[in-house]
Amino acid sequence: MVKKFGGTSLGSVERINAVADRVLEDIQQGQKPILVCSAMSGETNRLVALAQEIYPYYYDKAYDMLLASGEQVSISLLSMALERRGISARPLLAYQLGIKTDAIYSKARIESVDKEKLLSIVNKGEVPVVAGFQGVSGSEITTLGRGGSDTTAVALAASINADFCEIYTDVPAVCTADPRLVKNVSEIPKLCFEEMMEMASLGSKVLHYRSVELAAKFGVKIHLRSSFEKREGTLIVPEGEVLENPVVSSVTHEANTAVVKIFPIPDGQGILGQLFALLAEKGIVVDIITQSQNEEGQRLAFSILENDLPATEALLSTFLESKNQMTILKNMAKISTVGVGMKNHPGVAARFFKVLNDLSVPIHLVTTSEIKISAVIDTKNLEASANGLHKEFDLENE
Ligand code: ASP
Ligand code: MG
């Protein structure tokens, strides 16, 4: 059983001891756990802030080496807590366990895991305590993107064909919206991979996107639950295993959004392909794209994460000519409703737009898929929009 503990679950000596007690109980009941840890809460943010002060927007080897250090601390401390309880623990950094990734610093992807090594440790009766969030590319340390220790956990579970991966966190379950933004959220007992994947890609920070993608690909069910309480949380399972699908199961948002508009875009064959290839080379993920043509030329608008704005602006200013005007909209947010039930229920878009219209919220970009509708709006309208949509789709906790 792979069990991942998040930063809050390991946020103090007291919490680390509580996790060790819980692991001891599991072992006494016959489990052979593999543990994955995040850094102690606040630690990765602290490291990011230091890095930003020294060199803003620098994402390279030294940055990943710095960020990965938080997990080295937490696995060491948890291992010591386990040893003190008579459990032989084996703290493991990514290079020691052969968690190999590509070389895209700060958002590396796992390519392989040395499962033989992992199993040999378990079979010796030791408890692997693995540093989440980090990998190794050649001889360099990489990191998987913020929240990436979920992905480490699922990758380990997939490598040993585990049916389940437990993710222990500071919330008891996945909720119908972010409780810091929306009043009266409900807990969701079961969700399918597809919905959780949409939610993670649309800004829900509960689980790292890649972790759900890997879970779906390898059929590893995720049990997200609280490390503070014993009750069950949310199960994330294949679609066929969820019986009742509400039309909309959650309202999700991403506050860190910016919109780039270009008009007219440069003339020439394949220009859009070239433009997006440039961004892709730098690992910049482009989200919503709209393109339209009129007599004066082609108009392009797309959204990105606001963090990627400086790099995007720098790339585009070398690519564009002076007649191509670039407009940047900052302080944007993306608000979305997600639900597999949408597949066969018409009218969701109508209700979505009516809510925003009744609140007089201007919409900058829109995109839809079979199971979601998203709109980019001004951040100042986010809270009212999220609460309005949550109510409209009957997600409130009675
Ligand atoms: N410690 C890393 C972060 O804060 C990874 C994680 O928590 O999953 O992003
Ligand atoms: Mg997390």
Side-chain angles (χ1 to χ4, degrees), residues 171-203:
V171 291
V174 180
C175 292
T176 48
D178 184 340
R180 283 163 298 189
L181 191 69
V182 173
K183 284 184 242 45
N184 280 326
V185 300
S186 320
E187 292 176 11
I188 308 176
K190 243 184 197 184
L191 273 170
C192 67
F193 289 131
E194 224 184 334
E195 282 172 313
M196 193 64 233
M197 230 162 0
E198 281 286 8
M199 288 168 65
S201 79
L202 294 170

mmCIF file of all heavy atoms in Angstrom, residues 171-203:
data_model
loop_
_atom_site.group_PDB
_atom_site.id
_atom_site.type_symbol
_atom_site.label_atom_id
_atom_site.label_comp_id
_atom_site.label_asym_id
_atom_site.label_seq_id
_atom_site.Cartn_x
_atom_site.Cartn_y
_atom_site.Cartn_z
ATOM 1 N N VAL A 171 -7.520 18.107 4.222
ATOM 2 C CA VAL A 171 -8.980 18.211 4.073
ATOM 3 C C VAL A 171 -9.535 16.781 4.115
ATOM 4 O O VAL A 171 -8.863 15.837 3.726
ATOM 5 C CB VAL A 171 -9.398 18.910 2.755
ATOM 6 C CG1 VAL A 171 -9.037 20.375 2.794
ATOM 7 C CG2 VAL A 171 -8.787 18.235 1.532
ATOM 8 N N PRO A 172 -10.778 16.623 4.603
ATOM 9 C CA PRO A 172 -11.298 15.262 4.753
ATOM 10 C C PRO A 172 -11.710 14.621 3.432
ATOM 11 O O PRO A 172 -11.854 13.408 3.351
ATOM 12 C CB PRO A 172 -12.510 15.451 5.662
ATOM 13 C CG PRO A 172 -12.877 16.884 5.566
ATOM 14 C CD PRO A 172 -11.639 17.638 5.228
ATOM 15 N N ALA A 173 -11.873 15.430 2.386
ATOM 16 C CA ALA A 173 -12.358 14.878 1.114
ATOM 17 C C ALA A 173 -12.210 15.942 0.037
ATOM 18 O O ALA A 173 -11.938 17.104 0.335
ATOM 19 C CB ALA A 173 -13.831 14.501 1.237
ATOM 20 N N VAL A 174 -12.423 15.524 -1.211
ATOM 21 C CA VAL A 174 -12.524 16.505 -2.293
ATOM 22 C C VAL A 174 -13.889 17.170 -2.141
ATOM 23 O O VAL A 174 -14.890 16.496 -1.898
ATOM 24 C CB VAL A 174 -12.429 15.816 -3.678
ATOM 25 C CG1 VAL A 174 -12.543 16.851 -4.797
ATOM 26 C CG2 VAL A 174 -11.117 15.043 -3.809
ATOM 27 N N CYS A 175 -13.931 18.479 -2.251
ATOM 28 C CA CYS A 175 -15.193 19.198 -2.046
ATOM 29 C C CYS A 175 -15.741 19.734 -3.362
ATOM 30 O O CYS A 175 -15.040 19.801 -4.369
ATOM 31 C CB CYS A 175 -14.989 20.354 -1.072
ATOM 32 S SG CYS A 175 -14.634 19.749 0.575
ATOM 33 N N THR A 176 -17.005 20.154 -3.318
ATOM 34 C CA THR A 176 -17.679 20.652 -4.524
ATOM 35 C C THR A 176 -17.121 22.000 -4.992
ATOM 36 O O THR A 176 -17.437 22.439 -6.095
ATOM 37 C CB THR A 176 -19.184 20.788 -4.272
ATOM 38 O OG1 THR A 176 -19.359 21.488 -3.022
ATOM 39 C CG2 THR A 176 -19.855 19.426 -4.188
ATOM 40 N N ALA A 177 -16.347 22.670 -4.141
ATOM 41 C CA ALA A 177 -15.650 23.899 -4.538
ATOM 42 C C ALA A 177 -14.611 24.160 -3.462
ATOM 43 O O ALA A 177 -14.571 23.460 -2.443
ATOM 44 C CB ALA A 177 -16.617 25.077 -4.635
ATOM 45 N N ASP A 178 -13.775 25.151 -3.676
ATOM 46 C CA ASP A 178 -12.770 25.501 -2.683
ATOM 47 C C ASP A 178 -13.461 26.192 -1.500
ATOM 48 O O ASP A 178 -14.029 27.265 -1.660
ATOM 49 C CB ASP A 178 -11.740 26.441 -3.322
ATOM 50 C CG ASP A 178 -10.598 26.772 -2.377
ATOM 51 O OD1 ASP A 178 -10.765 26.610 -1.152
ATOM 52 O OD2 ASP A 178 -9.544 27.200 -2.868
ATOM 53 N N PRO A 179 -13.412 25.574 -0.306
ATOM 54 C CA PRO A 179 -14.127 26.148 0.839
ATOM 55 C C PRO A 179 -13.628 27.538 1.246
ATOM 56 O O PRO A 179 -14.332 28.260 1.946
ATOM 57 C CB PRO A 179 -13.885 25.143 1.972
ATOM 58 C CG PRO A 179 -12.883 24.177 1.483
ATOM 59 C CD PRO A 179 -12.728 24.326 0.008
ATOM 60 N N ARG A 180 -12.422 27.911 0.792
ATOM 61 C CA ARG A 180 -11.946 29.264 1.121
ATOM 62 C C ARG A 180 -12.655 30.317 0.276
ATOM 63 O O ARG A 180 -12.626 31.497 0.569
ATOM 64 C CB ARG A 180 -10.431 29.375 0.890
ATOM 65 C CG ARG A 180 -9.623 28.718 2.000
ATOM 66 C CD ARG A 180 -8.204 28.482 1.563
ATOM 67 N NE ARG A 180 -8.181 27.558 0.418
ATOM 68 C CZ ARG A 180 -7.081 27.027 -0.088
ATOM 69 N NH1 ARG A 180 -5.916 27.346 0.384
ATOM 70 N NH2 ARG A 180 -7.158 26.189 -1.096
ATOM 71 N N LEU A 181 -13.300 29.857 -0.790
ATOM 72 C CA LEU A 181 -13.926 30.803 -1.718
ATOM 73 C C LEU A 181 -15.448 30.707 -1.670
ATOM 74 O O LEU A 181 -16.157 31.693 -1.850
ATOM 75 C CB LEU A 181 -13.438 30.462 -3.135
ATOM 76 C CG LEU A 181 -13.729 31.448 -4.234
ATOM 77 C CD1 LEU A 181 -12.905 32.710 -4.033
ATOM 78 C CD2 LEU A 181 -13.404 30.844 -5.607
ATOM 79 N N VAL A 182 -15.935 29.483 -1.455
ATOM 80 C CA VAL A 182 -17.373 29.243 -1.594
ATOM 81 C C VAL A 182 -17.950 28.787 -0.260
ATOM 82 O O VAL A 182 -17.344 27.983 0.447
ATOM 83 C CB VAL A 182 -17.608 28.165 -2.691
ATOM 84 C CG1 VAL A 182 -19.060 27.763 -2.768
ATOM 85 C CG2 VAL A 182 -17.121 28.675 -4.042
ATOM 86 N N LYS A 183 -19.144 29.313 0.050
ATOM 87 C CA LYS A 183 -19.816 28.943 1.306
ATOM 88 C C LYS A 183 -20.553 27.621 1.130
ATOM 89 O O LYS A 183 -21.044 27.329 0.044
ATOM 90 C CB LYS A 183 -20.830 30.028 1.672
ATOM 91 C CG LYS A 183 -20.173 31.281 2.233
ATOM 92 C CD LYS A 183 -21.239 32.266 2.675
ATOM 93 C CE LYS A 183 -21.259 33.559 1.974
ATOM 94 N NZ LYS A 183 -21.185 34.035 0.764
ATOM 95 N N ASN A 184 -20.659 26.852 2.203
ATOM 96 C CA ASN A 184 -21.486 25.631 2.196
ATOM 97 C C ASN A 184 -21.086 24.586 1.173
ATOM 98 O O ASN A 184 -21.943 24.028 0.495
ATOM 99 C CB ASN A 184 -22.947 26.003 1.901
ATOM 100 C CG ASN A 184 -23.629 26.519 3.129
ATOM 101 O OD1 ASN A 184 -23.326 26.072 4.226
ATOM 102 N ND2 ASN A 184 -24.526 27.462 2.936
ATOM 103 N N VAL A 185 -19.804 24.309 1.060
ATOM 104 C CA VAL A 185 -19.392 23.264 0.112
ATOM 105 C C VAL A 185 -19.757 21.887 0.668
ATOM 106 O O VAL A 185 -19.888 21.713 1.883
ATOM 107 C CB VAL A 185 -17.878 23.319 -0.189
ATOM 108 C CG1 VAL A 185 -17.501 24.645 -0.800
ATOM 109 C CG2 VAL A 185 -17.065 23.038 1.055
ATOM 110 N N SER A 186 -19.926 20.916 -0.223
ATOM 111 C CA SER A 186 -20.201 19.539 0.212
ATOM 112 C C SER A 186 -18.988 18.668 -0.096
ATOM 113 O O SER A 186 -18.210 18.978 -0.994
ATOM 114 C CB SER A 186 -21.389 18.943 -0.563
ATOM 115 O OG SER A 186 -22.394 19.884 -0.740
ATOM 116 N N GLU A 187 -18.884 17.544 0.638
ATOM 117 C CA GLU A 187 -17.815 16.586 0.335
ATOM 118 C C GLU A 187 -18.298 15.632 -0.750
ATOM 119 O O GLU A 187 -19.469 15.281 -0.791
ATOM 120 C CB GLU A 187 -17.463 15.786 1.593
ATOM 121 C CG GLU A 187 -16.803 16.658 2.637
ATOM 122 C CD GLU A 187 -16.534 15.919 3.935
ATOM 123 O OE1 GLU A 187 -16.665 14.686 3.982
ATOM 124 O OE2 GLU A 187 -16.177 16.614 4.912
ATOM 125 N N ILE A 188 -17.400 15.221 -1.638
ATOM 126 C CA ILE A 188 -17.787 14.312 -2.727
ATOM 127 C C ILE A 188 -17.263 12.909 -2.379
ATOM 128 O O ILE A 188 -16.053 12.713 -2.288
ATOM 129 C CB ILE A 188 -17.173 14.773 -4.064
ATOM 130 C CG1 ILE A 188 -17.496 16.255 -4.318
ATOM 131 C CG2 ILE A 188 -17.665 13.905 -5.225
ATOM 132 C CD1 ILE A 188 -16.846 16.838 -5.569
ATOM 133 N N PRO A 189 -18.156 11.931 -2.172
ATOM 134 C CA PRO A 189 -17.669 10.603 -1.776
ATOM 135 C C PRO A 189 -16.931 9.854 -2.888
ATOM 136 O O PRO A 189 -15.969 9.139 -2.632
ATOM 137 C CB PRO A 189 -18.933 9.847 -1.357
ATOM 138 C CG PRO A 189 -20.092 10.689 -1.757
ATOM 139 C CD PRO A 189 -19.619 12.046 -2.130
ATOM 140 N N LYS A 190 -17.422 10.018 -4.144
ATOM 141 C CA LYS A 190 -16.804 9.286 -5.252
ATOM 142 C C LYS A 190 -16.761 10.150 -6.488
ATOM 143 O O LYS A 190 -17.728 10.827 -6.806
ATOM 144 C CB LYS A 190 -17.661 8.062 -5.585
ATOM 145 C CG LYS A 190 -16.971 6.758 -5.374
ATOM 146 C CD LYS A 190 -17.842 5.617 -5.823
ATOM 147 C CE LYS A 190 -17.333 4.326 -5.223
ATOM 148 N NZ LYS A 190 -18.096 3.175 -5.707
ATOM 149 N N LEU A 191 -15.660 10.100 -7.186
ATOM 150 C CA LEU A 191 -15.516 10.854 -8.428
ATOM 151 C C LEU A 191 -14.845 9.936 -9.429
ATOM 152 O O LEU A 191 -14.104 9.031 -9.042
ATOM 153 C CB LEU A 191 -14.539 12.002 -8.210
ATOM 154 C CG LEU A 191 -15.033 13.333 -7.687
ATOM 155 C CD1 LEU A 191 -13.826 14.191 -7.339
ATOM 156 C CD2 LEU A 191 -15.868 14.044 -8.739
ATOM 157 N N CYS A 192 -15.061 10.171 -10.717
ATOM 158 C CA CYS A 192 -14.326 9.341 -11.662
ATOM 159 C C CYS A 192 -13.038 10.059 -12.081
ATOM 160 O O CYS A 192 -12.899 11.269 -11.917
ATOM 161 C CB CYS A 192 -15.185 8.943 -12.849
ATOM 162 S SG CYS A 192 -15.634 10.288 -13.904
ATOM 163 N N PHE A 193 -12.092 9.292 -12.618
ATOM 164 C CA PHE A 193 -10.789 9.843 -13.002
ATOM 165 C C PHE A 193 -10.940 11.067 -13.896
ATOM 166 O O PHE A 193 -10.261 12.076 -13.725
ATOM 167 C CB PHE A 193 -9.973 8.796 -13.771
ATOM 168 C CG PHE A 193 -9.481 7.662 -12.926
ATOM 169 C CD1 PHE A 193 -9.665 6.355 -13.335
ATOM 170 C CD2 PHE A 193 -8.809 7.901 -11.734
ATOM 171 C CE1 PHE A 193 -9.189 5.295 -12.572
ATOM 172 C CE2 PHE A 193 -8.331 6.855 -10.956
ATOM 173 C CZ PHE A 193 -8.525 5.543 -11.377
ATOM 174 N N GLU A 194 -11.843 10.928 -14.871
ATOM 175 C CA GLU A 194 -12.024 11.989 -15.856
ATOM 176 C C GLU A 194 -12.395 13.332 -15.201
ATOM 177 O O GLU A 194 -11.847 14.375 -15.535
ATOM 178 C CB GLU A 194 -13.168 11.564 -16.765
ATOM 179 C CG GLU A 194 -12.961 11.764 -18.225
ATOM 180 C CD GLU A 194 -14.233 11.385 -18.985
ATOM 181 O OE1 GLU A 194 -15.040 10.562 -18.500
ATOM 182 O OE2 GLU A 194 -14.410 11.948 -20.084
ATOM 183 N N GLU A 195 -13.324 13.261 -14.249
ATOM 184 C CA GLU A 195 -13.742 14.489 -13.558
ATOM 185 C C GLU A 195 -12.601 15.063 -12.734
ATOM 186 O O GLU A 195 -12.354 16.271 -12.742
ATOM 187 C CB GLU A 195 -14.907 14.191 -12.603
ATOM 188 C CG GLU A 195 -16.239 14.059 -13.278
ATOM 189 C CD GLU A 195 -17.316 13.560 -12.311
ATOM 190 O OE1 GLU A 195 -17.070 12.587 -11.572
ATOM 191 O OE2 GLU A 195 -18.400 14.152 -12.292
ATOM 192 N N MET A 196 -11.921 14.190 -12.005
ATOM 193 C CA MET A 196 -10.833 14.678 -11.156
ATOM 194 C C MET A 196 -9.708 15.254 -12.005
ATOM 195 O O MET A 196 -9.087 16.251 -11.643
ATOM 196 C CB MET A 196 -10.313 13.534 -10.277
ATOM 197 C CG MET A 196 -9.406 13.989 -9.153
ATOM 198 S SD MET A 196 -10.241 15.055 -7.949
ATOM 199 C CE MET A 196 -9.144 16.454 -7.905
ATOM 200 N N MET A 197 -9.497 14.656 -13.165
ATOM 201 C CA MET A 197 -8.460 15.169 -14.061
ATOM 202 C C MET A 197 -8.820 16.560 -14.551
ATOM 203 O O MET A 197 -8.000 17.466 -14.564
ATOM 204 C CB MET A 197 -8.323 14.230 -15.260
ATOM 205 C CG MET A 197 -6.924 13.859 -15.478
ATOM 206 S SD MET A 197 -6.536 12.441 -16.467
ATOM 207 C CE MET A 197 -7.853 11.651 -17.065
ATOM 208 N N GLU A 198 -10.078 16.734 -14.937
ATOM 209 C CA GLU A 198 -10.526 18.065 -15.354
ATOM 210 C C GLU A 198 -10.356 19.043 -14.198
ATOM 211 O O GLU A 198 -9.834 20.136 -14.370
ATOM 212 C CB GLU A 198 -12.004 18.062 -15.775
ATOM 213 C CG GLU A 198 -12.275 17.528 -17.169
ATOM 214 C CD GLU A 198 -11.872 18.477 -18.304
ATOM 215 O OE1 GLU A 198 -11.230 19.509 -18.050
ATOM 216 O OE2 GLU A 198 -12.194 18.167 -19.459
ATOM 217 N N MET A 199 -10.814 18.629 -13.019
ATOM 218 C CA MET A 199 -10.735 19.549 -11.875
ATOM 219 C C MET A 199 -9.296 19.961 -11.610
ATOM 220 O O MET A 199 -9.004 21.131 -11.384
ATOM 221 C CB MET A 199 -11.335 18.905 -10.623
ATOM 222 C CG MET A 199 -12.840 18.797 -10.696
ATOM 223 S SD MET A 199 -13.500 17.729 -9.397
ATOM 224 C CE MET A 199 -13.086 18.670 -7.930
ATOM 225 N N ALA A 200 -8.380 18.979 -11.650
ATOM 226 C CA ALA A 200 -6.970 19.295 -11.371
ATOM 227 C C ALA A 200 -6.409 20.206 -12.459
ATOM 228 O O ALA A 200 -5.671 21.144 -12.181
ATOM 229 C CB ALA A 200 -6.152 18.025 -11.259
ATOM 230 N N SER A 201 -6.816 19.976 -13.703
ATOM 231 C CA SER A 201 -6.243 20.821 -14.758
ATOM 232 C C SER A 201 -6.912 22.190 -14.769
ATOM 233 O O SER A 201 -6.367 23.146 -15.282
ATOM 234 C CB SER A 201 -6.353 20.148 -16.124
ATOM 235 O OG SER A 201 -7.655 20.301 -16.617
ATOM 236 N N LEU A 202 -8.086 22.299 -14.160
ATOM 237 C CA LEU A 202 -8.783 23.581 -14.140
ATOM 238 C C LEU A 202 -8.488 24.383 -12.886
ATOM 239 O O LEU A 202 -9.099 25.409 -12.640
ATOM 240 C CB LEU A 202 -10.296 23.351 -14.268
ATOM 241 C CG LEU A 202 -10.713 22.764 -15.619
ATOM 242 C CD1 LEU A 202 -12.165 22.338 -15.606
ATOM 243 C CD2 LEU A 202 -10.470 23.759 -16.730
ATOM 244 N N GLY A 203 -7.572 23.893 -12.061
ATOM 245 C CA GLY A 203 -7.116 24.727 -10.957
ATOM 246 C C GLY A 203 -7.319 24.165 -9.564
ATOM 247 O O GLY A 203 -6.819 24.725 -8.602
#
